Structure formats: structure tokens, C-alpha cells
């Protein structure tokens, strides 16, 4: 046993470090006066700590606002619990394997009262305890949270310790890292613990207290590997080396070489052994680092639990001061957002009149939205959803329909054979160089029948698309009223169904009209007919008189057409057949464009009518229909979803306002 008469060397630190013992003068013995640690620090630090504690009490972290927190990590049996016991002067659960199975939030607060106050909080419970029964109370609470086995849980357990001599610190002790599960532990115990640790140490506001055993190589510690993942430069990592008395050789080189980049430095400690009291442990630690032939060579500024406590308080205060402006900014942002979201919620309605007014607001806002996206082409309301850029999508569909309609079908019969057959069946007693009008209409009707289904398919496709758009707009503007949303959507579907039926009938009329008469005022018909008629003489020559008897004839608008099969027909049949071919071809191009134009104009008219007139009438009729059980009255009953959202926002606003008030004083003081 080293003599207690040895003179205590004064530690040189800046600012001066508080020690938990009264140092001797001359040859007087070292006498403990307060256990385990007496914390003296600048009065400016305490308000910062009080402010963050106030925010923790308010549970502002549930709003996604991270607070500066000391997170204690270490490999299994590295001595984490012993370090925390020394800082708090209390006994924590000990034993083989994982002693800490849930995040243990230790909130230490120095008190002037001689009687300590200790209690646990978990699962909305507050459980008072005392120094003698702390370990037992923690085990019982852990069993409630994580089960009575050896599994772990990420649900936190908070331990409040208010007593004289403890440092003002808030720390989170996490389960020790273990790679091999023991009996009773889940196979993925390592993944569970490592995931929990990463969640706590990843925020930039976290201070990582990495507990390392002097008996191991620091570079192989799993806790070091994890902290390096989130703190690559080590700027927010402090290492505490335990069991210094068990492996003193080489410890000085380990903490000075710093092979693992711990920027905040190292503190070497000796923790309580066996039945030592905390006062005895502090004295033994003091004597160990002053008298041991190897450990006494370590700079006294980085040894001892009192030094660790002081460093942690100063680091925590520095982190708080640095993070506080950002915390204030986040609180204000989230408060503004919550207030805005609450104001967006519908008011709680007390009368049918108010409900009707709300319904009209829904209809009006949806109508305005439909007007912008379906008629005006303004897609600013849905900038990133191209499917809601409706005028562009309608134009795309119309263009595709036009291309499909005017695409030249593959000829299933040889050139002029349809015309020859029709003319042969329509012949009558009369002059041979007149084309029977009935023959032209027969060919025209045949062409119309071939494309008859395409316009109907197109208009159905258009209204199917508009129905999707309409449903999306209705959902958006009635989202706060789920109790009537289905009724409004049903009205929208019914409306589209009616318009679709009307449109199909109208399109069929447009198509059928093309069979009734052959008329156009477009000069393009005569231009095309004249151009193609000029090739008739050459065509007839190659078919009937050309001695070389070519098999094909090159004709504008048709390409190379086969003509060898036509030589068996007389000229008086071939000439009107050729004439009919160029007439029907010239006219058919106009018919197709006319169908597209008519559908485009009808579509525009129908969409405007839908938005301006029919939409509002249909929804109002649906909502006031007594057979529906009183749609408007349903709005008087706020949906559980909206009620829950309203309550959640109110609670968030209350919490954030209180948090804002809590930081206001300290911010004003620092300005």
C-alpha cells in the first residue's frame, strides 16, 4: 500500500479541474470531503446545461431535433458501467454478459440537498428508488422493457440522479458490443446492438465517449470501428481507458501515439474494485497515478475520474454552445411548419351551413385546378408529375390518333381491283365514261367502315385519362374530408361515365356522316385529283400498249404498283376504275383530317363543359341526394384521421413553443 503521506502534485490544467478530494498541505493526509466528485465550473456553463435539460424534459427530440448528448459505447466488459458508477456515485447492474440491455439515459444533476433524489422513467411510468436499490430497480425496469431474457430493446430507460457531488451531465449508456450470442440471446444480437449504437452516435450533435480497456489493442476494438464510421476525424470522440492498473505497461505509448485518431483525447481511470467505497476508490485512483512507476509518467491532465468528469462537462457545454443556434433555427422551422399544417386543416364545423360552405370551397378549388390543368395548360400545381400536364398529354394522344388514323393500311387486294369489282356491280345501261355515284359511295363506305372503331377507341381512351386526372384532383382537394371523399369521387366517376356515353354517340355520328355525302370546300381535293389524273395516260399506256409489258408502274402517292394483273380488263373499265381510285384517294385524305379536326374541337368543347358546368352540378346533386344518407351532414363529423392529425399538430406546436421559450433566455443572454 502506497503511503498516504506522499505530497500530492498539483495538476496543471486550464481551466482548473475540480477534484473530488481535498488535497493535503505539507504532510497532512489526503482526506475525502465529498463523494464521488465535486463539480465546480464557470457559472456561464450551467444555464446552457439547464436549457438542454429543459429541452430533454420537453422531449423535443421526438420532433426530430437532436440535442447534444454524450453517448457511452464500448465492447462488452470494457468497463462502461464502472465508469458511469464512478461519475454518478451509484451502483449499476453488474454481472457476466450484457448488463445493459436497453439505452440507459443517465441524467446527473448536482444538488445542494444532502438527500439524493433518484427515480426511473420508462413507458410513461415514474418509479422512485434510492441508492441502495438502484441496480435492482434498473433490472426490473429492463425486464419490463426488453423482457426477462437476455435480449435487447431500443426503448430507452431514463435514470435521474440529483445529488451532491455529481457532475451536471446527461449520458446514454448503450449495450456492450458482442459478436457471439450466448444462450438466451437472439442470433442477430450483434446486428441489433450495432444498429442501436449507430442510431445514437450518428447525429453530429452526439459526443462519443468510447470506453476502452487498457488490456486490449485499441485498433481492434469494435467500438472504435463504429465511431470511426460516423466521426472519421475523431472531432467528437473522447476515449476513457479503464483497467489501467491491470495493464500499465505500454499504456503511455497507447494514449500518446493515438493510432485511432481521438481528437478530444484520452482519460485513463481506475474504477472501484470489490467492496471499496467510492471515496476509497477515488483516493486509490489518485495515489495510483501519482506513485505507480509506469502510470505516474502519464500526464496528470489525462488521468482520473475527476478529470474525466470535468472534461465531459466542458465538452458537453462547448457542444451545446455550438449547436444551440442550429437548434433554435430547427425549432422555429418546425414550429412554423406545424402552424402552417394546422391552419391548412379544415375548421371543425358546427352547422349544415358551415358544412355546405366547406363543400362549395372543395368544389371551387377543384374546379379551379381542373380549369388550369385541363383548359389553360398551367401545370404549376403539379410541376413534377407529367401525367398531370393535361393539355400536353391530350395533344400527344390526339397527335398519335391522327397518325394511326392516317397510316396507310397494307393493301389486301391488288391495285384497282376493289374499284373494278364495285364498278362491275354498279354498271347500268348508259354511257361508259360516267362513274356511277353509287360506286363512289360504296368505296367510301367501305373505307369508313375500316376505320370506324378507331375514333371510338380514341375517345374512350381520352375520357379514361381524364377520369384519372379528375380523381387525383378530387382526392387532393377533399383530402381533409375523407368522410365525403368517396361520395365526391363517385360523383366524378358517374359524370365521366355520362360524358363518355355522350361522346361515343357523338363520335359515331361524326363517322357516320362521312358516309352520307361526298362534300368538301377544300381546294386540296381538286389539286390532288388534277395532279394524279395527269398520270392516267402513262398508266394506261403501260398497262395496255407498252410492248415491254412492265409488271409495275411508279405512281405518286402510291409508289410502285403492280399492273400485270390488269391487262385482262378492257380500257372502258380500267379508265373509270383509275379515275375512281384517284378521286377516293384525294377525298379520303380530307375525310381523315376532318374526323381528327372534329374530334379535337368536340373534345375541347366537352372538357370546358365538364369543368365549367357539369362538374359542380354533378357533385352537388350527389351530396344532397337523400338516398346517400346525407352527404353534407357527414362533414359535421370530423374523421378520426383528421382529428388525430389535428391533435398531433397541437401537441407539437405546444411542445415547440415551450422549447422556443426555453432557449429564448439563453440566446438573449449570449447575444
Amino acid at each position: 500500500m502506497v503511503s498516504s503521506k506522499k505530497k500530492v502534485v498539483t495538476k496543471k490544467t486550464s481551466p482548473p479541474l475540480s477534484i473530488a478530494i481535498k488535497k493535503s498541505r505539507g504532510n497532512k493526509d489526503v482526506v475525502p470531503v465529498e463523494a464521488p466528485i465535486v463539480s465546480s465550473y464557470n457559472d456561464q456553463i450551467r444555464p446552457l446545461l439547464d436549457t438542454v435539460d429543459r429541452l430533454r424534459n420537453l422531449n423535443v427530440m421526438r420532433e426530430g431535433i437532436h440535442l447534444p448528448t454524450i453517448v457511452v459505447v464500448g465492447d462488452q466488459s470494457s468497463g462502461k458501467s464502472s465508469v458511469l458508477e464512478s461519475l454518478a456515485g451509484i451502483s449499476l447492474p453488474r454481472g457476466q454478459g450484457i448488463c445493459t440491455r436497453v439505452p440507459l439515459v443517465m441524467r446527473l444533476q448536482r444538488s445542494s440537498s444532502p438527500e439524493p433524489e433518484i427515480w426511473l422513467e420508462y413507458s410513461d411510468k415514474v418509479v422512485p428508488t434510492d441508492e441502495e436499490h438502484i441496480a435492482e430497480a434498473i433490472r426490473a425496469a429492463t425486464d419490463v422493457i426488453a423482457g426477462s431474457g437476455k435480449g435487447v430493446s431500443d426503448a430507452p430507460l431514463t435514470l435521474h440522479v440529483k445529488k451532491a457531488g455529481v457532475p451536471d451531465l446527461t449520458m446514454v449508456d448503450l449495450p456492450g458490443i458482442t459478436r457471439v450470442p450466448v444462450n438466451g440471446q437472439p442470433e442477430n444480437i450483434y446486428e441489433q446492438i450495432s444498429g442501436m449504437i449507430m442510431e445514437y452516435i450518428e447525429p453530429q450533435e452526439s459526443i462519443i465517449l468510447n470506453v476502452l480497456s487498457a488490456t486490449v489493442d485499441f485498433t481492434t476494438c469494435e467500438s472504435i470501428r463504429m465511431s470511426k464510421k460516423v466521426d472519421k476525424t475523431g472531432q467528437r470522440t473522447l476515449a476513457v481507458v479503464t483497467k489501467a492498473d491491470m495493464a500499465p505497461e505500454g499504456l503511455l505509448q497507447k494514449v500518446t501515439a493515438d493510432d485511432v485518431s481521438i481528437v478530444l483525447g484520452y482519460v485513463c481511470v481506475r474504477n472501484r474494485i470489490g467492496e471499496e467505497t467510492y471515496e476509497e476508490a477515488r483516493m486509490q485512483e489518485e495515489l495510483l497515478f501519482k506513485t505507480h512507476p509506469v502510470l505516474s509518467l502519464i500526464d496528470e491532465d489525462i488521468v482520473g475520474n475527476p478529470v474525466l468528469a470535468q472534461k465531459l462537462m466542458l465538452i458537453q457545454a462547448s457542444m451545446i454552445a455550438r449547436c444551440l443556434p442550429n437548434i433554435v433555427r430547427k425549432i422555429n422551422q418546425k414550429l412554423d411548419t406545424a402552424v402552417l399544417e394546422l391552419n391548412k386543416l379544415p375548421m371543425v364545423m358546427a352547422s349544415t351551413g358551415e358544412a355546405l360552405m366547406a363543400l362549395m370551397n372543395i368544389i371551387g378549388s377543384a374546379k379551379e385546378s381542373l380549369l388550369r390543368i385541363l383548359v389553360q395548360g398551367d401545370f404549376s400545381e403539379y410541376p413534377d408529375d407529367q401525367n398531370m400536364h393535361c393539355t400536353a398529354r391530350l395533344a400527344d394522344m390526339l397527335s398519335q390518333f391522327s397518325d394511326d388514323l392516317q397510316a396507310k393500311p397494307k393493301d389486301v387486294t391488288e391495285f384497282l381491283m376493289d374499284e373494278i369489282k364495285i364498278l362491275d356491280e354498279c354498271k347500268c345501261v348508259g354511257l361508259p365514261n360516267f362513274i356511277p355515284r353509287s360506286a363512289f359511295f360504296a368505296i367510301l363506305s367501305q373505307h369508313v367502315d375500316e376505320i370506324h372503331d378507331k375514333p371510338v377507341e380514341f375517345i374512350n381512351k381520352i375520357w379514361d385519362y381524364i377520369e384519372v386526372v379528375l380523381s387525383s384532383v378530387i382526392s387532393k382537394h377533399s383530402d381533409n374530408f375523407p368522410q365525403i371523399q368517396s361520395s365526391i369521387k363517385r360523383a366524378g366517376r358517374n359524370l365521366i361515365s355520362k360524358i363518355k356515353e355522350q361522346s361515343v354517340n357523338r363520335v359515331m355520328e361524326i363517322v357516320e356522316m362521312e358516309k352520307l355525302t361526298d362534300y368538301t370546300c377544300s381546294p386540296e381535293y381538286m389539286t390532288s385529283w388534277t395532279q394524279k389524273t395527269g398520270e392516267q395516260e402513262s398508266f394506261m399506256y403501260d398497262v395496255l400498249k407498252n410492248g415491254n409489258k412492265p409488271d409495275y408502274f411508279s405512281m405518286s402517292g402510291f409508289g410502285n404498283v403492280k399492273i400485270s394483273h390488269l391487262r385482262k380488263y378492257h380500257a372502258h373499265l380500267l379508265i373509270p376504275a383509275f379515275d375512281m381510285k384517284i378521286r377516293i384517294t384525294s377525298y379520303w385524305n380530307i375525310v381523315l383530317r376532318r374526323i381528327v379536326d372534329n374530334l379535337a374541337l368536340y373534345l375541347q368543347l366537352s372538357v370546358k363543359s365538364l369543368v365549367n358546368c357539369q362538374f359542380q352540378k354533378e357533385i352537388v346533386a350527389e351530396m344532397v341526394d337523400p338516398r346517400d344518407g346525407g352527404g353534407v351532414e357527414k362533414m359535421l363529423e370530423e374523421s378520426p384521421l383528421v382529428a388525430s392529425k389535428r391533435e398531433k399538430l397541437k401537441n407539437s406546436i405546444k411542445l415547440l413553443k415551450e422549447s422556443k421559450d426555453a432557449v429564448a433566455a439563453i440566446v438573449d443572454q449570449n447575444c
Side-chain angles (χ1 to χ4, degrees):
M1 182 79 174
V2 179
S3 173
S4 62
K5 298 288 186 180
K6 182 174 178 62
K7 185 177 180 181
V8 178
V9 179
T10 303
K11 297 178 187 248
K12 296 178 182 179
T13 58
S14 180
L17 299 176
S18 171
I19 304 178
I21 59 175
K22 183 178 181 180
K23 299 186 178 180
S24 64
R25 295 189 179 186
N27 293 324
K28 292 183 180 180
D29 289 342
V30 175
V31 181
V33 295
E34 194 171 14
I37 298 168
V38 177
S39 303
S40 61
Y41 54 93
N42 193 309
D43 289 338
Q44 293 182 353
I45 295 177
R46 183 56 187 261
L48 293 174
L49 300 178
D50 288 344
T51 298
V52 173
D53 279 342
R54 171 68 175 147
L55 294 178
R56 282 197 179 93
N57 283 331
L58 291 171
N59 202 13
V60 74
M61 297 178 76
R62 76 183 183 191
E63 296 296 326
I65 298 173
H66 295 291
L67 298 177
T69 303
I70 299 170
V71 182
V72 186
V73 298
D75 291 4
Q76 188 175 332
S77 301
S78 61
K80 291 190 300 88
S81 295
S82 297
V83 171
L84 296 175
E85 285 183 338
S86 296
L87 291 172
I90 58 175
S91 297
L92 297 173
R94 289 173 173 269
Q96 295 297 319
I98 299 177
C99 299
T100 304
R101 298 193 292 125
V102 299
L104 178 63
V105 183
M106 293 187 61
R107 297 182 56 182
L108 309 181
Q109 185 175 355
R110 187 184 177 195
S111 171
S112 58
S113 173
E115 293 297 326
E117 295 179 56
I118 304 173
W119 70 95
L120 295 172
E121 286 185 6
Y122 62 96
S123 305
D124 296 326
K125 297 179 182 178
V126 176
V127 181
T129 186
D130 53 38
E131 290 183 273
E132 183 180 352
H133 300 94
I134 287 179
E136 181 183 338
I138 291 176
R139 288 193 190 96
T142 299
D143 287 345
V144 172
I145 297 172
S148 58
K150 297 182 180 180
V152 298
S153 170
D154 59 1
L157 167 64
T158 302
L159 170 64
H160 297 260
V161 178
K162 293 180 67 174
K163 62 181 291 188
V166 301
D168 286 274
L169 291 172
T170 296
M171 299 173 289
V172 180
D173 182 26
L174 298 176
I177 304 167
T178 179
R179 283 194 170 275
V180 181
V182 299
N183 289 337
Q185 289 180 339
E187 290 297 321
N188 65 340
I189 187 69
Y190 169 75
E191 287 75 14
Q192 288 186 38
I193 293 175
S194 60
M196 189 188 308
I197 290 173
M198 295 302 287
E199 180 182 350
Y200 274 89
I201 66 176
E202 190 168 9
Q204 293 301 305
E205 295 83 0
S206 294
I207 302 158
I208 305 171
L209 181 61
N210 215 316
V211 180
L212 309 170
S213 172
T215 61
V216 302
D217 181 1
F218 296 169
T219 60
T220 64
C221 290
E222 184 70 6
S223 61
I224 288 290
R225 187 188 68 82
M226 287 186 179
S227 62
K228 293 288 286 182
K229 273 187 177 182
V230 297
D231 183 28
K232 298 186 186 305
T233 60
Q235 296 290 330
R236 52 188 180 89
T237 301
L238 173 68
V240 55
V241 183
T242 62
K243 306 178 184 179
D245 51 332
M246 296 175 60
E249 300 297 332
L251 184 56
L252 175 60
Q253 194 277 333
K254 281 184 178 181
V255 298
T256 53
D258 190 20
D259 294 331
V260 290
S261 300
I262 305 294
V263 173
L264 295 181
Y266 294 80
V267 178
C268 302
V269 300
R270 174 201 181 274
N271 291 317
R272 185 167 63 100
I273 298 175
E275 299 300 320
E276 287 179 342
T277 66
Y278 292 106
E279 293 83 355
E280 291 170 344
R282 293 288 71 72
M283 293 175 66
Q284 292 301 321
E285 179 184 61
E286 177 81 11
L287 294 173
L288 174 69
F289 286 110
K290 288 184 180 302
T291 62
H292 192 282
V294 175
L295 297 178
S296 62
L297 300 176
I298 302 176
D299 191 328
E300 58 186 5
D301 285 354
I302 63 170
V303 296
N305 276 287
V307 172
L308 174 62
Q310 185 71 9
K311 275 181 176 286
L312 286 173
M313 286 193 301
L314 295 177
I315 290 169
Q316 180 176 249
S318 175
M319 178 68 83
I320 292 171
R322 185 166 71 249
C323 294
L324 199 57
N326 192 44
I327 291 173
V328 172
R329 181 181 59 81
K330 287 182 178 178
I331 289 174
N332 288 332
Q333 285 180 345
K334 289 186 176 291
L335 179 58
D336 291 342
T337 300
V339 170
L340 184 62
E341 286 295 313
L342 182 62
N343 290 336
K344 285 182 179 178
L345 293 181
M347 65 177 184
V348 178
M349 288 164 289
S351 68
T352 304
E354 289 181 352
L356 188 57
M357 182 65 69
L359 174 63
M360 296 311 296
N361 286 336
I362 293 173
I363 296 173
S365 59
K367 181 178 175 180
E368 287 295 322
S369 182
L370 291 171
L371 184 65
R372 284 192 295 271
I373 63 176
L374 281 174
V375 179
Q376 298 173 352
D378 178 359
F379 53 82
S380 57
E381 190 174 345
Y382 302 90
D384 301 321
D385 188 354
Q386 290 191 342
N387 195 55
M388 298 298 286
H389 302 176
C390 298
T391 54
R393 300 293 78 79
L394 291 174
D396 288 343
M397 285 188 276
L398 187 65
S399 177
Q400 183 63 49
F401 167 67
S402 178
D403 292 342
D404 292 343
L405 195 63
Q406 297 184 68
K408 291 184 178 179
K410 184 177 181 180
D411 289 334
V412 293
T413 57
E414 294 177 299
F415 188 65
L416 290 189
M417 288 309 299
D418 286 338
E419 288 76 13
I420 289 174
K421 290 178 181 178
I422 293 293
L423 286 170
D424 193 44
E425 292 302 316
C426 292
K427 61 189 175 183
C428 60
V429 177
L431 296 175
N433 60 340
F434 286 91
I435 297 178
R437 192 176 183 93
S438 59
F440 184 86
F441 276 119
I443 293 291
L444 178 61
S445 180
Q446 191 179 76
H447 279 53
V448 171
D449 288 339
E450 288 172 358
I451 59 97
H452 184 274
D453 293 336
K454 290 184 177 181
V456 175
E457 291 172 358
F458 166 71
I459 205 66
N460 280 324
K461 180 181 178 182
I462 286 288
W463 288 114
D464 287 344
Y465 166 71
I466 292 177
E467 182 175 354
V468 172
V469 171
L470 185 64
S471 178
S472 179
V473 170
I474 288 174
S475 294
K476 177 180 178 180
H477 291 280
S478 63
D479 194 47
N480 288 329
F481 297 93
Q483 64 270 45
I484 64 165
Q485 196 173 65
S486 59
S487 297
I488 297 179
K489 283 188 174 182
R490 182 170 63 249
R493 289 194 299 271
N494 292 341
L495 175 59
I496 293 296
S497 179
K498 292 176 184 177
I499 296 178
K500 183 188 288 188
E501 184 179 353
Q502 295 170 359
S503 297
V504 168
N505 292 334
R506 177 61 179 156
V507 168
M508 292 177 66
E509 286 180 355
I510 291 174
V511 174
E512 289 298 317
M513 283 191 299
E514 297 298 342
K515 294 182 179 181
L516 298 180
T517 186
D518 50 342
Y519 171 77
T520 180
C521 63
S522 172
E524 183 181 336
Y525 168 74
M526 289 303 299
T527 301
S528 175
W529 178 80
T530 301
Q531 177 186 354
K532 290 179 172 57
T533 299
E535 300 181 61
Q536 180 175 327
E537 185 176 347
S538 299
F539 176 81
M540 296 304 297
Y541 175 79
D542 279 0
V543 171
L544 300 176
K545 299 181 180 180
N546 193 333
N548 294 326
K549 295 187 177 180
D551 290 335
Y552 292 90
F553 179 80
S554 179
M555 188 173 177
S556 61
F558 296 95
N560 289 330
V561 296
K562 188 177 180 180
I563 59 175
S564 57
H565 62 284
L566 300 175
R567 292 193 171 96
K568 61 183 179 180
Y569 296 103
H570 195 272
H572 77 266
L573 185 57
L574 290 176
I575 291 174
F578 183 89
D579 190 21
M580 181 179 289
K581 186 72 171 180
I582 60 177
R583 288 178 186 275
I584 199 70
T585 300
S586 299
Y587 182 64
W588 185 242
N589 289 333
I590 293 174
V591 169
L592 293 178
R593 285 196 292 272
R594 186 160 60 202
I595 290 175
V596 173
D597 289 344
N598 280 335
L599 260 63
L601 295 175
Y602 174 71
L603 178 63
Q604 287 289 89
L605 179 65
S606 299
V607 169
K608 283 188 177 182
S609 176
L610 162 70
V611 174
N612 293 329
C613 305
Q614 296 170 282
F615 176 70
Q616 179 171 322
K617 289 180 181 179
E618 189 72 27
I619 292 179
V620 170
E622 176 75 23
M623 295 302 295
V624 299
D625 189 347
R627 294 172 298 176
D628 191 44
V632 175
E633 283 72 15
K634 289 180 182 178
M635 299 177 70
L636 298 177
E637 303 171 6
E638 188 169 43
S639 72
L641 181 64
V642 175
S644 174
K645 185 176 181 181
R646 188 189 303 279
E647 188 63 24
K648 183 179 179 181
L649 286 171
K650 284 182 177 179
N651 290 337
S652 292
I653 290 171
K654 181 176 181 291
L655 185 153
L656 291 166
K657 282 183 176 178
E658 291 177 355
S659 301
K660 185 176 181 179
D661 292 340
V663 299
I666 192 68
V667 170
D668 293 341
Q669 180 180 324
N670 292 338
C671 289

